[in-house]
Amino acid sequence: MAWFSKKPRISTRQEPSQEEPSRMQGLWAKCESCDEIIYRQELEKNWMVCPHCEHHHPWTARSRLAGLLDPDTFEEFDKELEPQDPLGFADSKKYKDRLKSTRKNLGENDAFISGVGRIDGHQISVGCFLFEFMGGSMGSVVGEKVTRVFERAHELKCPALLFSASGGARMQEGIFSLMQMAKTSAAIARFRTGNKPYISVLLHPTTGGVAASFAWLGDIILAEPKALIGFAGPRVIEQTIRQKLPEGFQRSEFLLEHGMIDAIVARKDLRTKLGQVLGLVG
């Protein structure tokens, strides 16, 4: 009998199914900067900062608030607000279906969390973007929640603190999303009549309509290391002006050098820095 006609030998050893997840899956992470393999639990314990090269990996909004605010002081507001589909928008997928699946996967209603908390005993009205929710894009609900952060701070006579990480206005809501730039900026103007500071912390990335409105309007503007911050992306700018941009253009270090931000603060030092700032101007 030819070798190719022989029946394959049946193995008694059970092969793992391709769909069956490995017990080691998710235990390790690879640093985006230095390519070192890091034990994920160690990375999370270090606030998602690489212990080898200090690269700042994405950090979820709720973990950020839990790590930076005083324990058990955060009270969330406006969680019930949900975005609608006023334009009946559809691209490769209907907007309403995209919202439904994203809400189901993340357990969040939209790309922004807001509430009241304390840092070193100082009361603040605080908000933080969820970049994992459609790139942290700003639609009408995000704009409303940002506005309420400043309105709440004005009512409580306390400082406002925002952590921004966004791709900009949400295109699926068209002009409704663009109007949030004016709405949030007007809310800041009303808030400033109370003579309390607004601290803006720019994360990676902060771009588009968010950068072009409230993110840049802080009385004190801080940023994380090597964060991409700007309106349009570098490639779009280069294609428009037909010139090569400087090295590191739109990174937080370049912006600090040119006076666009007040300080670059590593994640592990941010709580201490915010406490100092609030103690001086809060």
Side-chain angles (χ1 to χ4, degrees), residues 170-191:
R170 187 172 297 174
M171 69 171 195
Q172 289 90 343
E173 295 187 24
I175 192 64
F176 294 96
S177 63
L178 294 176
M179 286 303 297
Q180 306 311 310
M181 298 169 64
K183 179 178 178 178
T184 53
S185 300
I188 294 173
R190 291 193 299 270
F191 163 72

Side-chain angles (χ1 to χ4, degrees), residues 5 14 32 48 58 75 80 85 106 147 168 175 189 197 229 232 271:
S5 63
Q14 186 176 2
E32 300 171 2
M48 298 303 292
E75 181 183 0
E80 73 283 355
D85 183 15
L106 297 178
T147 298
I175 192 64
I229 304 165
R271 175 178 160 80

Side-chain angles (χ1 to χ4, degrees), residues 22 47-48 60 93 105 132 134 157 165 169 172 188 200 217 229 233 248 264 270:
S22 168
W47 290 12
M48 298 303 292
T60 63
K93 189 175 183 180
N105 291 336
E132 57 271 27
M134 296 184 67
K157 295 181 173 56
Q172 289 90 343
I188 294 173
S200 179
L217 294 178
I229 304 165
I264 296 173
L270 187 54

Side-chain angles (χ1 to χ4, degrees), residues 115-236:
V116 173
R118 291 183 179 272
I119 295 180
D120 281 354
H122 301 283
Q123 187 179 39
I124 54 169
S125 180
V126 61
C128 185
F129 273 82
L130 293 93
F131 189 78
E132 57 271 27
F133 195 109
M134 296 184 67
S137 52
M138 178 174 63
S140 54
V141 166
V142 171
E144 174 64 20
K145 295 179 80 169
V146 171
T147 298
R148 293 189 185 188
V149 167
F150 294 105
E151 290 177 343
R152 196 171 294 119
H154 186 65
E155 292 171 4
L156 297 173
K157 295 181 173 56
C158 69
L161 171 64
L162 284 186
F163 298 94
S164 298
S166 173
R170 187 172 297 174
M171 69 171 195
Q172 289 90 343
E173 295 187 24
I175 192 64
F176 294 96
S177 63
L178 294 176
M179 286 303 297
Q180 306 311 310
M181 298 169 64
K183 179 178 178 178
T184 53
S185 300
I188 294 173
R190 291 193 299 270
F191 163 72
R192 285 207 169 108
T193 62
N195 297 319
K196 289 295 181 179
Y198 159 38
I199 304 171
S200 179
V201 182
L202 309 181
L203 311 175
H204 174 78
T206 301
T207 58
V210 170
S213 55
F214 59 86
W216 277 121
L217 294 178
D219 299 300
I220 298 170
I221 303 177
L222 308 177
E224 286 193 337
K226 298 182 180 178
L228 176 65
I229 304 165
F231 180 62
R235 184 172 58 183
V236 174

